[in-house]
Amino acid sequence: MLETSEERSSDADLLALPARQVLKAFSDGHVSPVDYMSALVSRVEAREPKVGALYDFRPEQSLAQAKLSAERWTAGAPIGPLDGMPVSLKELIATKGDPVPSGTAASDMLPASEDAPTSARLREDGAIFFAKTTCPDFGMLSSGLSTFHQLSRNPWDLTQNPGGSSAGAASAGAAGYGPLHIGTDIGGSVRLPAGWTGLFGFKATQGRIPVYPYYPGRCVGPMTPTVDDSILLLESISRPDWRDATALPPMEGGWNVSPANVKGKKIGLMLEAGCGQNVDQDVRDAVLAAARQFEDAGAEIIDISGILTREMLDGLDNFWRGRFWSTMETFSEERKAKVLPYILEWASAAASLSGAQVARGFDQILAIRQATAEIFTKVDFLLSPVNPGVSFPAEWASPNNDPNMPFEHIGFTMPFNMGDQPACSINCGFSTTGIPIGLQIVGPRFADLEVLSLALAYENWNGSIKEWPVI
């Protein structure tokens, strides 16, 4: 689509810049944080009624903060490396004094008593939280459907879902609301929506990026137009925070990443998850084409069978239902009635599960962990689809819209949350309907830099997306 008359070409060019170039322009005095924020606010105001990506958008406060940042840059005294740079945070990431609705009308809306680790580090570095981004009820869907937030849509096709649960972050990134967005991921909630919207999404080794509240598999991750934009965020959000009891020591040597030389590397190719949703032909073709590029660059491509079994996936489902129902059963009937019916139906099935069934479900999580570790006794890295399907309607709660089988689409992403391995989604093409397709790159535990290096190499071979949707 052509640029709208409401947006000047100079503003469009400014908002298309990678984050490091924007910050350099702030430092050099070529661009003011006020001008950048003004361009961003104008774009959000023009596009947000159609996209529905944001919660708690704060244009006046953000412009006031940008003015203070401009004064600091002029004085040569920025408070940190991200001073004046707009960043959106998924609303599940607490910021002091603000409610955390968790995407549901059943929220108690109590203000957060402190910043979460991610928001604390970004605030220290001078970032401006111009808005929170939406998520579904309790962050429990791969969708933009919520009883609290407006419906988030995929900017590539507004009839389609951006995925989730970092739905708003994906919509915001693809709609051009600046380059820096942060999501959370426990089964694919960064990579799934990144894949469907063309963004780069990164899930680090568990504990690499401090998160609180922490839980097995739960990670915070960047969602950005380019790999380097994500690396910039990782430099901030990976700094230690005592509240995450799973936290790893700081990355030795920092986040210095260069494109990988893949010659001689053994790279696995997994085209079937083992169970769950079948892979669409468009997705299969795009991932195969990406694998051929790695092979052409000297890698040895090794076919890897899907590791996920029906027992594993159903066990995970039982455990997550049981855990979630343990909270929901404390709700009053009035409060339960405010929860998205899909979520309520899914969770309430746990009332008929025995404690032994839930415990056996947790044992299946450990089995998934063992299976993912075994992959890397055979290969150095793994390629796979991110999403098995091309897209699904914006109004649906999940790709099959069935609360009795809610996790059929996470067979490629979820195992690496349970196994703690670093994994990313990077665009590897488009479907015949024009929806982006994500390639997942996975490495063994602690190989975060190496996964980013492979992603950077792939991005260099193909270039990042240049023509983002104009809504």
Side-chain angles (χ1 to χ4, degrees), residues 154-176:
N154 192 329
W156 293 95
D157 181 344
L158 294 172
T159 71
Q160 297 300 291
N161 212 294
S165 62
S166 303
S171 297

Side-chain angles (χ1 to χ4, degrees), residues 52-381:
L54 303 184
Y55 162 65
D56 200 19
F57 175 45
R58 301 176 175 184
E60 295 84 3
Q61 180 178 321
S62 298
L63 285 165
Q65 288 178 283
K67 183 179 179 181
L68 294 174
S69 174
E71 293 171 355
R72 291 191 293 269
W73 282 110
T74 298
I79 60 174
L82 297 176
D83 200 338
M85 195 68 203
V87 178
S88 81
L89 295 173
K90 186 175 180 178
E91 64 101 322
L92 294 179
I93 300 170
T95 48
K96 185 176 180 179
D98 300 319
V100 183
S102 299
T104 181
S107 171
D108 56 21
M109 294 299 286
L110 292 175
S113 60
E114 59 185 354
D115 283 339
T118 297
S119 46
R121 300 294 85 76
L122 290 169
R123 198 187 298 275
E124 290 165 2
D125 284 350
I128 298 175
F129 307 143
F130 72 95
K132 294 291 189 73
T133 52
T134 66
C135 69
D137 283 50
F138 304 101
M140 286 303 300
L141 299 175
S142 298
S143 170
L145 187 63
S146 164
T147 56
F148 181 85
H149 298 299
Q150 60 191 324
L151 180 64
S152 297
R153 297 177 178 272
N154 192 329
W156 293 95
D157 181 344
L158 294 172
T159 71
Q160 297 300 291
N161 212 294
S165 62
S166 303
S171 297
Y177 296 177
L180 302 182
H181 308 276
I182 305 276
T184 65
D185 188 322
I186 197 171
S189 289
V190 161
R191 287 156 291 154
L192 295 167
W196 276 313
T197 57
L199 298 174
F200 178 75
F202 183 68
K203 182 205 82 69
T205 300
Q206 177 82 41
R208 182 71 72 197
I209 301 170
V211 59
Y212 184 79
Y214 60 87
Y215 193 75
R218 185 169 186 259
C219 300
V220 168
M223 301 172 68
T224 63
T226 70
V227 177
D228 188 62
D229 289 328
S230 282
I231 293 170
L232 177 67
L233 283 171
L234 290 165
E235 291 167 359
S236 290
I237 65 177
S238 63
R239 293 204 306 275
D241 193 294
W242 70 269
R243 290 171 289 176
D244 185 348
T246 70
L248 298 174
M251 181 74 76
E252 189 172 336
W255 292 86
N256 298 312
V257 181
S258 57
N261 179 357
V262 301
K263 187 174 182 179
K265 296 292 185 185
K266 293 182 177 181
I267 299 182
L269 176 62
M270 181 186 290
L271 291 172
E272 297 293 342
C275 73
Q277 184 179 343
N278 292 329
V279 176
D280 287 354
Q281 192 63 48
D282 283 359
V283 175
R284 180 182 293 271
D285 290 346
V287 172
L288 270 171
R292 290 190 196 102
Q293 287 188 277
F294 282 92
E295 188 172 44
D296 290 344
E300 179 186 357
I301 301 299
I302 299 171
D303 290 334
I304 298 290
S305 299
I307 60 168
L308 196 64
T309 66
R310 175 52 57 186
E311 186 178 15
M312 289 173 177
L313 192 57
D314 289 348
L316 174 92
D317 188 6
N318 284 343
F319 179 74
W320 278 357
R321 287 185 202 237
R323 178 177 180 267
F324 195 70
W325 185 245
S326 71
T327 297
M328 295 245 338
E329 70 175 354
T330 67
F331 288 6
S332 67
E333 291 304 312
E334 181 182 8
R335 191 176 182 189
K336 281 181 189 174
K338 295 179 181 179
V339 176
L340 189 74
Y342 181 105
I343 291 289
L344 187 61
E345 182 178 345
W346 167 73
S348 61
S352 62
L353 294 174
S354 68
Q357 285 175 298
V358 174
R360 285 195 292 270
F362 182 77
D363 287 342
Q364 289 304 313
I365 292 176
L366 300 180
I368 295 169
R369 186 181 182 90
Q370 193 73 17
T372 59
E374 187 177 0
I375 290 172
F376 298 102
T377 66
K378 304 170 185 174
V379 297
D380 300 312
F381 300 96

